[in-house]
Amino acid sequence: MASATNESGPTNADTVGLDVVHAEATARLQEAGQRYTSGRRRLVEVLAAAARPVRLPDIEALAPDLARSSAYRNLEALERCGVVERLNAGGDHAYFELAESLIGHHHHLICEDCSEIADIELDSALEHRLAGTLAAIADVAGYVPSHHSVDLYGRCSRCVAAG
Amino acid sequence: MASATNESGPTNADTVGLDVVHAEATARLQEAGQRYTSGRRRLVEVLAAAARPVRLPDIEALAPDLARSSAYRNLEALERCGVVERLNAGGDHAYFELAESLIGHHHHLICEDCSEIADIELDSALEHRLAGTLAAIADVAGYVPSHHSVDLYGRCSRCVAAG
DNA sequence: CTCAGTGCAAAGGATTTGCATGCCG
DNA sequence: CGGCATGCAAATCCTTTGCACTGAG
C-alpha cells in the first residue's frame, strides 16, 4: 500500500511539528547536495501554515519577498527531495503542499467554483480495501504502482450560497 | 452519488455503440442550439476509437485535417454539452475522453513516465462504499458533491522495461 | 439571409530558463 | 575559492481569442 515506505509516518496533517518538517527538509536536501536556504525554509513554513494545498499566487500573497522564479525553482527542488508534492486540480495554477510522508496520507475535496481545496481522510478500513484493490489492478495491468489519489469534486457552501 | 443521473447508464467503455454516441451528441448539441458538424463528429470518433483519454497532439496525429483551434473549441463545446470530459493528469497537455454518461463510470491508471492513461474500474461493492463515504464527507464539509475521481499512478511495463 | 462553425494568425498566461551576481561552506 | 542559490528578464508552449470567411438551413 501507499504507506509502505512510511511505516511510522503520521496519519493526519497535524501530527508532525514544524521542527520535524524542517529537520526532514534539511536532511533530504543535504542528501541531494542542496542547501536548506531561508527562501526554501520560508516556502515550507507557508505550506505548513496553510494546512491545505496552495497555488503560487497564494504563496506570493503570504510571502511577497519570494521571487516568483525562485519559488517555482525551490518548489521543484523540494518536490524532487520528497518534501513537497504538486497537485493538478485542473485550474490555471498548480497546487503545492507538504508531502504525504510528512503530513500523512490523505485525499482532496475540491470546489468546482472557487477551486479551493481541503484535505480529507477516508476511514482506514476503506482506505485499506481501496489500496488492496488498486494494487491488484496495477498488477494485472503490469504496472509498478507508486501512489493513488481520490478527489471529491463539488461546490463549497460559500459558493452554493452565492448562487 | 455519482451515478444518480446515470441509473441506466453503461458500465464499461464498450457498452455503448458509436451510433448511440453520435445520437446522443446530436441531441445534446441541438438542445444547446449547436450543430453536430463533421469536425465534431470526427472528434467524437477519434475519442471513441482511442478508448482511453487522449491529448491534443494525439488527436492531431489521428486526424491531421482538424485545425488545432477548432479542435479546442469543439472539445469545449462538447464538454459543455456533456459529451466529452477533460482530465487533468498533470502533464503539459490536458486529456479528453467521452463523458462517463456515455462510456460509464470509471477511473484512471496513469504512467508517471510516459503519461499514458488507461481506464480502470473498481468492483461495484467498493465503488458503492467509496461513493457512500464520500457523500458523507461532503455533507459534513457542507459541500454539494458532483463527482469523484480515483487515479492510480505507477510505471507501465514498457517504461519499467526501458529502465 | 442569418448565424453557427472554421482556420489562420496573434494574444494570453502559467511555468521555465539564461545569465550575471550573491552567498554559504 | 567553488558551486549552489537568487532575481530579473526573456523565452516556452499550451490554450484561448479576434476576425474574416464559409456553409447549412
Side-chain angles (χ1 to χ4, degrees), chain B residues 9-75:
Chain B
T11 55
N12 85 53
D14 299 313
T15 305
V16 170
L18 191 51
D19 47 350
V20 175
V21 174
H22 282 319
E24 272 300 315
T26 305
R28 297 186 192 181
L29 284 167
Q30 223 146 47
E31 200 171 334
Q34 310 219 304
R35 302 170 194 154
Y36 195 35
T37 61
S38 63
R40 291 175 180 180
R41 176 176 293 262
R42 189 70 174 292
L43 228 26
V44 166
E45 277 161 2
V46 167
L47 296 184
R52 76 178 59 204
V54 294
R55 306 163 307 143
L56 207 92
D58 305 324
I59 295 174
E60 284 185 307
L62 295 166
D65 51 312
L66 295 177
R68 186 173 301 177
S69 62
S70 296
Y72 275 116
R73 256 194 291 240
N74 286 332
L75 287 167

Coordinates of all heavy atoms in Angstrom, one line a residue, chain B residues 9-75:
Chain B
G9 N -27.2 3.8 -17.1 CA -26.0 4.1 -17.9 C -25.2 2.8 -18.1 O -25.4 1.8 -17.5
P10 N -24.2 2.9 -19.0 CA -23.4 1.8 -19.3 C -22.4 1.6 -18.2 O -22.2 2.5 -17.3 CB -22.6 2.3 -20.6 CG -22.6 3.8 -20.5 CD -23.9 4.1 -19.8
T11 N -21.8 0.4 -18.1 CA -20.9 0.2 -17.0 C -19.5 0.0 -17.5 O -18.6 -0.1 -16.7 CB -21.3 -1.0 -16.2 OG1 -21.5 -2.1 -17.1 CG2 -22.6 -0.8 -15.5
N12 N -19.3 -0.1 -18.8 CA -17.9 -0.1 -19.2 C -17.8 0.5 -20.6 O -18.8 0.7 -21.3 CB -17.2 -1.5 -19.1 CG -17.5 -2.3 -20.3 OD1 -17.2 -1.9 -21.5 ND2 -18.0 -3.5 -20.1
A13 N -16.5 0.8 -21.0 CA -16.3 1.7 -22.2 C -16.8 1.1 -23.5 O -17.0 1.8 -24.5 CB -14.8 1.9 -22.3
D14 N -17.1 -0.2 -23.5 CA -17.5 -0.8 -24.8 C -19.0 -1.1 -24.8 O -19.5 -1.6 -25.8 CB -16.8 -2.2 -25.0 CG -15.3 -1.9 -25.0 OD1 -14.9 -1.0 -25.7 OD2 -14.6 -2.7 -24.3
T15 N -19.7 -0.7 -23.8 CA -21.1 -1.0 -23.7 C -22.0 -0.3 -24.8 O -22.9 -0.8 -25.3 CB -21.6 -0.6 -22.3 OG1 -20.9 -1.3 -21.4 CG2 -23.1 -1.1 -22.2
V16 N -21.6 1.0 -25.1 CA -22.4 1.8 -25.9 C -21.8 1.8 -27.3 O -20.6 2.1 -27.5 CB -22.5 3.2 -25.4 CG1 -23.2 4.1 -26.4 CG2 -23.4 3.1 -24.1
G17 N -22.6 1.6 -28.3 CA -22.1 1.7 -29.7 C -21.9 3.1 -30.2 O -22.4 4.0 -29.6
L18 N -21.1 3.2 -31.2 CA -20.8 4.5 -31.8 C -22.0 5.3 -32.3 O -22.1 6.5 -32.1 CB -19.8 4.4 -32.9 CG -19.1 5.6 -33.4 CD1 -18.5 6.4 -32.3 CD2 -18.0 5.3 -34.5
D19 N -22.9 4.5 -32.8 CA -24.2 5.1 -33.3 C -24.9 5.8 -32.1 O -25.5 6.9 -32.3 CB -25.0 4.1 -34.0 CG -25.2 2.8 -33.2 OD1 -24.4 2.7 -32.2 OD2 -26.0 2.0 -33.5
V20 N -25.0 5.1 -31.0 CA -25.6 5.7 -29.9 C -24.9 7.0 -29.4 O -25.6 8.0 -29.1 CB -25.7 4.7 -28.7 CG1 -26.3 5.4 -27.5 CG2 -26.5 3.5 -29.1
V21 N -23.6 6.9 -29.4 CA -22.8 8.1 -29.0 C -23.1 9.3 -30.0 O -23.4 10.4 -29.6 CB -21.3 7.8 -29.0 CG1 -20.5 9.1 -28.8 CG2 -21.0 6.8 -28.0
H22 N -23.2 9.0 -31.3 CA -23.5 10.0 -32.2 C -24.9 10.6 -32.0 O -25.1 11.8 -32.1 CB -23.4 9.5 -33.7 CG -22.0 9.4 -34.2 ND1 -21.0 10.3 -33.9 CD2 -21.4 8.4 -34.9 CE1 -19.9 9.9 -34.5 NE2 -20.1 8.7 -35.1
A23 N -25.8 9.7 -31.7 CA -27.2 10.1 -31.5 C -27.3 11.1 -30.3 O -27.9 12.1 -30.3 CB -28.1 8.9 -31.3
E24 N -26.6 10.7 -29.2 CA -26.5 11.5 -28.0 C -25.9 12.8 -28.3 O -26.4 13.8 -27.8 CB -25.8 10.7 -26.9 CG -26.6 9.8 -26.1 CD -27.7 10.5 -25.4 OE1 -27.5 11.6 -24.8 OE2 -28.8 10.0 -25.4
A25 N -24.8 12.8 -29.0 CA -24.1 14.0 -29.3 C -25.0 15.0 -30.1 O -25.1 16.2 -29.8 CB -22.8 13.8 -30.1
T26 N -25.7 14.4 -31.1 CA -26.6 15.3 -31.9 C -27.6 15.9 -31.0 O -27.9 17.1 -31.1 CB -27.3 14.4 -32.9 OG1 -26.3 13.7 -33.7 CG2 -28.2 15.2 -33.8
A27 N -28.2 15.1 -30.1 CA -29.3 15.6 -29.3 C -28.8 16.6 -28.3 O -29.5 17.7 -28.2 CB -29.9 14.4 -28.5
R28 N -27.7 16.3 -27.7 CA -27.3 17.3 -26.6 C -26.8 18.6 -27.2 O -26.9 19.6 -26.6 CB -26.1 16.6 -25.8 CG -26.7 15.4 -25.1 CD -25.6 14.8 -24.1 NE -26.1 13.5 -23.6 CZ -25.4 12.8 -22.8 NH1 -24.2 13.2 -22.3 NH2 -25.8 11.6 -22.4
L29 N -26.2 18.5 -28.4 CA -25.8 19.7 -29.1 C -27.0 20.5 -29.5 O -27.1 21.8 -29.3 CB -24.9 19.4 -30.3 CG -23.4 19.0 -29.9 CD1 -22.7 18.4 -31.1 CD2 -22.6 20.2 -29.4
Q30 N -27.9 19.8 -30.1 CA -29.1 20.5 -30.7 C -29.8 21.3 -29.5 O -30.3 22.4 -29.7 CB -30.0 19.5 -31.3 CG -30.6 20.0 -32.6 CD -30.8 18.9 -33.6 OE1 -31.4 17.8 -33.3 NE2 -30.4 19.1 -34.9
E31 N -29.9 20.6 -28.4 CA -30.5 21.2 -27.3 C -29.9 22.5 -26.9 O -30.5 23.4 -26.3 CB -30.4 20.2 -26.1 CG -31.4 20.4 -25.0 CD -31.4 19.3 -24.0 OE1 -31.0 18.1 -24.4 OE2 -31.7 19.5 -22.8
A32 N -28.6 22.7 -27.2 CA -27.9 23.9 -26.9 C -27.8 24.8 -28.1 O -27.0 25.8 -28.1 CB -26.5 23.5 -26.4
G33 N -28.6 24.5 -29.1 CA -28.6 25.3 -30.3 C -27.3 25.2 -31.1 O -26.9 26.2 -31.8
Q34 N -26.7 24.0 -31.1 CA -25.4 23.9 -31.8 C -25.5 22.7 -32.8 O -26.4 21.8 -32.6 CB -24.3 23.6 -30.9 CG -24.3 24.7 -29.8 CD -22.9 25.1 -29.4 OE1 -22.0 24.3 -29.1 NE2 -22.6 26.4 -29.5
R35 N -24.6 22.7 -33.8 CA -24.7 21.7 -34.8 C -23.7 20.6 -34.6 O -22.6 20.8 -34.1 CB -24.5 22.3 -36.2 CG -25.5 23.4 -36.5 CD -25.0 24.1 -37.8 NE -25.8 25.4 -37.9 CZ -25.3 26.4 -38.5 NH1 -24.1 26.4 -39.1 NH2 -26.0 27.6 -38.6
Y36 N -24.0 19.4 -35.0 CA -23.1 18.3 -34.9 C -22.4 18.2 -36.3 O -22.7 17.4 -37.1 CB -23.8 17.0 -34.6 CG -22.9 15.9 -34.2 CD1 -21.8 16.1 -33.4 CD2 -23.2 14.5 -34.5 CE1 -21.0 15.1 -33.0 CE2 -22.4 13.5 -34.1 CZ -21.3 13.8 -33.3 OH -20.5 12.7 -32.9
T37 N -21.4 19.0 -36.5 CA -20.7 19.2 -37.7 C -19.7 18.0 -37.9 O -19.5 17.2 -37.0 CB -19.9 20.5 -37.8 OG1 -18.9 20.4 -36.7 CG2 -20.8 21.6 -37.6
S38 N -19.2 17.9 -39.1 CA -18.3 16.8 -39.5 C -17.0 16.9 -38.6 O -16.5 15.8 -38.2 CB -17.9 16.9 -40.9 OG -17.2 18.1 -41.2
G39 N -16.6 18.1 -38.3 CA -15.4 18.2 -37.4 C -15.7 17.6 -36.0 O -14.8 16.9 -35.4
R40 N -16.8 17.9 -35.5 CA -17.2 17.4 -34.2 C -17.4 15.9 -34.2 O -17.0 15.2 -33.3 CB -18.4 18.2 -33.7 CG -18.2 19.6 -33.4 CD -19.4 20.5 -33.0 NE -19.0 21.8 -32.8 CZ -19.8 22.8 -32.4 NH1 -21.1 22.6 -32.3 NH2 -19.3 24.0 -32.2
R41 N -18.0 15.5 -35.3 CA -18.3 14.0 -35.4 C -16.9 13.3 -35.5 O -16.7 12.3 -34.8 CB -19.1 13.8 -36.7 CG -19.3 12.3 -37.0 CD -20.2 12.2 -38.3 NE -21.5 12.7 -38.0 CZ -22.5 11.8 -37.7 NH1 -22.3 10.5 -37.6 NH2 -23.7 12.3 -37.4
R42 N -16.0 13.9 -36.2 CA -14.7 13.3 -36.3 C -14.0 13.2 -35.0 O -13.4 12.2 -34.6 CB -13.9 14.2 -37.3 CG -12.6 13.7 -37.7 CD -12.7 12.5 -38.6 NE -11.4 12.0 -39.1 CZ -10.7 12.7 -39.9 NH1 -11.1 13.9 -40.4 NH2 -9.5 12.3 -40.3
L43 N -14.1 14.3 -34.2 CA -13.5 14.3 -32.9 C -14.1 13.2 -32.0 O -13.4 12.5 -31.3 CB -13.9 15.7 -32.3 CG -12.9 16.6 -31.6 CD1 -11.5 16.4 -32.1 CD2 -13.3 18.0 -31.8
V44 N -15.4 13.1 -32.0 CA -16.0 12.0 -31.2 C -15.6 10.6 -31.7 O -15.3 9.8 -30.9 CB -17.6 12.1 -31.4 CG1 -18.3 10.9 -30.8 CG2 -18.1 13.4 -30.6
E45 N -15.4 10.5 -33.0 CA -14.9 9.2 -33.5 C -13.5 8.9 -33.0 O -13.2 7.7 -32.6 CB -15.0 9.1 -35.0 CG -16.4 8.8 -35.5 CD -16.7 9.2 -37.0 OE1 -15.7 9.7 -37.6 OE2 -17.8 9.0 -37.4
V46 N -12.7 9.9 -33.0 CA -11.3 9.7 -32.5 C -11.3 9.3 -31.1 O -10.6 8.4 -30.7 CB -10.5 11.0 -32.8 CG1 -9.2 10.9 -32.0 CG2 -10.2 11.2 -34.2
L47 N -12.1 10.0 -30.3 CA -12.2 9.7 -28.8 C -12.7 8.3 -28.6 O -12.2 7.6 -27.7 CB -13.0 10.7 -28.1 CG -12.5 12.2 -28.1 CD1 -13.4 13.1 -27.3 CD2 -11.1 12.3 -27.6
A48 N -13.7 7.9 -29.4 CA -14.3 6.6 -29.2 C -13.4 5.5 -29.6 O -13.2 4.5 -28.9 CB -15.6 6.5 -30.0
A49 N -12.6 5.8 -30.7 CA -11.7 4.7 -31.1 C -10.5 4.6 -30.2 O -10.0 3.5 -30.0 CB -11.2 5.1 -32.5
A50 N -10.1 5.7 -29.6 CA -8.9 5.6 -28.7 C -9.2 4.8 -27.5 O -8.4 4.0 -27.0 CB -8.5 7.0 -28.3
A51 N -10.5 4.8 -27.0 CA -10.9 4.1 -25.8 C -10.0 4.3 -24.6 O -9.8 3.5 -23.7 CB -10.9 2.6 -26.1
R52 N -9.5 5.5 -24.6 CA -8.7 6.0 -23.4 C -8.5 7.5 -23.6 O -8.7 8.0 -24.7 CB -7.3 5.3 -23.4 CG -6.3 5.9 -24.5 CD -5.0 5.2 -24.4 NE -5.1 3.8 -24.6 CZ -4.2 2.9 -24.1 NH1 -3.2 3.3 -23.4 NH2 -4.4 1.6 -24.3
P53 N -8.2 8.2 -22.5 CA -8.0 9.6 -22.7 C -6.9 10.0 -23.6 O -5.8 9.3 -23.6 CB -7.7 10.1 -21.3 CG -8.3 9.0 -20.4 CD -8.0 7.7 -21.1
V54 N -7.1 11.0 -24.5 CA -6.1 11.4 -25.4 C -5.8 12.9 -25.3 O -6.6 13.7 -24.8 CB -6.5 11.1 -26.9 CG1 -6.6 9.6 -27.1 CG2 -7.8 11.8 -27.2
R55 N -4.6 13.3 -25.7 CA -4.2 14.7 -25.6 C -4.4 15.3 -27.0 O -4.5 14.6 -28.0 CB -2.7 14.8 -25.2 CG -2.4 14.1 -24.0 CD -0.9 13.9 -23.9 NE -0.4 13.3 -25.1 CZ 0.7 13.6 -25.7 NH1 1.5 14.5 -25.2 NH2 1.1 12.9 -26.8
L56 N -4.3 16.6 -27.1 CA -4.5 17.2 -28.4 C -3.5 16.8 -29.5 O -3.9 16.5 -30.6 CB -4.4 18.8 -28.3 CG -5.3 19.3 -29.5 CD1 -6.7 19.5 -29.1 CD2 -4.6 20.4 -30.1
P57 N -2.2 16.6 -29.1 CA -1.3 16.0 -30.1 C -1.7 14.7 -30.7 O -1.5 14.4 -31.9 CB 0.0 15.9 -29.4 CG -0.1 16.9 -28.3 CD -1.5 16.9 -27.9
D58 N -2.3 13.8 -29.8 CA -2.8 12.5 -30.3 C -3.9 12.7 -31.3 O -3.9 12.1 -32.3 CB -3.3 11.7 -29.1 CG -2.3 11.6 -28.0 OD1 -1.1 11.5 -28.3 OD2 -2.6 11.6 -26.8
I59 N -4.8 13.6 -30.9 CA -5.9 13.9 -31.8 C -5.4 14.4 -33.2 O -5.9 14.0 -34.2 CB -6.9 15.0 -31.2 CG1 -7.5 14.4 -29.9 CG2 -7.9 15.4 -32.2 CD1 -8.3 15.3 -29.1
E60 N -4.5 15.3 -33.2 CA -3.9 15.9 -34.4 C -3.3 14.8 -35.2 O -3.4 14.8 -36.5 CB -2.9 17.0 -34.1 CG -3.6 18.2 -33.7 CD -2.5 19.4 -33.5 OE1 -1.5 19.1 -32.8 OE2 -2.7 20.4 -34.1
A61 N -2.6 13.8 -34.6 CA -2.0 12.7 -35.3 C -3.0 11.8 -36.0 O -2.8 11.4 -37.1 CB -1.1 11.9 -34.3
L62 N -4.1 11.6 -35.3 CA -5.1 10.8 -35.8 C -6.0 11.4 -36.8 O -6.7 10.8 -37.6 CB -6.0 10.2 -34.6 CG -5.2 9.3 -33.7 CD1 -6.0 9.0 -32.4 CD2 -4.9 8.0 -34.4
A63 N -6.1 12.7 -36.7 CA -7.0 13.5 -37.6 C -6.3 14.8 -38.0 O -6.7 15.9 -37.5 CB -8.3 13.8 -36.9
P64 N -5.3 14.7 -38.9 CA -4.4 15.9 -39.2 C -5.2 17.0 -39.9 O -4.7 18.1 -39.9 CB -3.4 15.3 -40.1 CG -3.5 13.8 -40.0 CD -4.9 13.5 -39.6
D65 N -6.4 16.7 -40.4 CA -7.1 17.8 -41.1 C -7.9 18.7 -40.1 O -8.4 19.7 -40.6 CB -8.1 17.1 -42.0 CG -8.9 16.0 -41.4 OD1 -8.3 15.2 -40.6 OD2 -10.2 16.1 -41.5
L66 N -7.9 18.3 -38.9 CA -8.7 19.2 -37.9 C -7.7 20.3 -37.5 O -6.7 20.1 -37.0 CB -9.1 18.4 -36.7 CG -10.1 17.3 -37.0 CD1 -10.4 16.5 -35.7 CD2 -11.4 17.9 -37.5
A67 N -8.2 21.5 -37.7 CA -7.4 22.7 -37.2 C -7.3 22.7 -35.7 O -8.3 22.3 -35.0 CB -8.0 24.0 -37.7
R68 N -6.2 23.1 -35.2 CA -6.0 23.0 -33.7 C -7.0 23.8 -33.0 O -7.6 23.4 -32.0 CB -4.6 23.4 -33.4 CG -4.2 23.3 -31.9 CD -2.8 23.6 -31.7 NE -1.9 22.7 -32.5 CZ -0.6 22.7 -32.5 NH1 0.0 23.7 -31.8 NH2 0.1 21.9 -33.2
S69 N -7.2 25.1 -33.4 CA -8.1 26.0 -32.6 C -9.5 25.4 -32.7 O -10.2 25.5 -31.7 CB -8.0 27.4 -33.2 OG -8.4 27.4 -34.5
S70 N -9.9 24.9 -33.8 CA -11.2 24.3 -33.9 C -11.4 23.1 -33.0 O -12.4 22.9 -32.4 CB -11.5 23.9 -35.4 OG -11.6 25.1 -36.2
A71 N -10.3 22.3 -33.0 CA -10.4 21.1 -32.1 C -10.6 21.6 -30.7 O -11.5 21.0 -30.0 CB -9.1 20.3 -32.2
Y72 N -9.8 22.5 -30.2 CA -10.0 23.0 -28.8 C -11.4 23.6 -28.6 O -12.1 23.3 -27.6 CB -9.0 24.1 -28.5 CG -7.7 23.6 -28.0 CD1 -6.5 23.8 -28.8 CD2 -7.6 22.9 -26.8 CE1 -5.3 23.3 -28.3 CE2 -6.3 22.4 -26.4 CZ -5.2 22.6 -27.1 OH -4.0 22.2 -26.7
R73 N -11.9 24.4 -29.6 CA -13.2 25.0 -29.5 C -14.3 23.9 -29.5 O -15.2 24.0 -28.7 CB -13.4 26.0 -30.6 CG -13.3 27.4 -30.1 CD -13.9 28.4 -31.1 NE -13.0 28.4 -32.3 CZ -12.4 29.5 -32.8 NH1 -12.6 30.7 -32.1 NH2 -11.7 29.5 -33.9
N74 N -14.1 22.9 -30.3 CA -15.2 21.9 -30.4 C -15.1 21.0 -29.1 O -16.2 20.5 -28.7 CB -15.0 21.1 -31.7 CG -15.4 21.9 -32.8 OD1 -16.3 22.7 -32.7 ND2 -14.9 21.6 -34.0
L75 N -13.9 20.7 -28.6 CA -13.9 19.9 -27.4 C -14.5 20.6 -26.3 O -15.2 20.0 -25.5 CB -12.4 19.6 -27.1 CG -11.7 18.6 -28.0 CD1 -10.2 18.6 -27.8 CD2 -12.3 17.2 -27.7

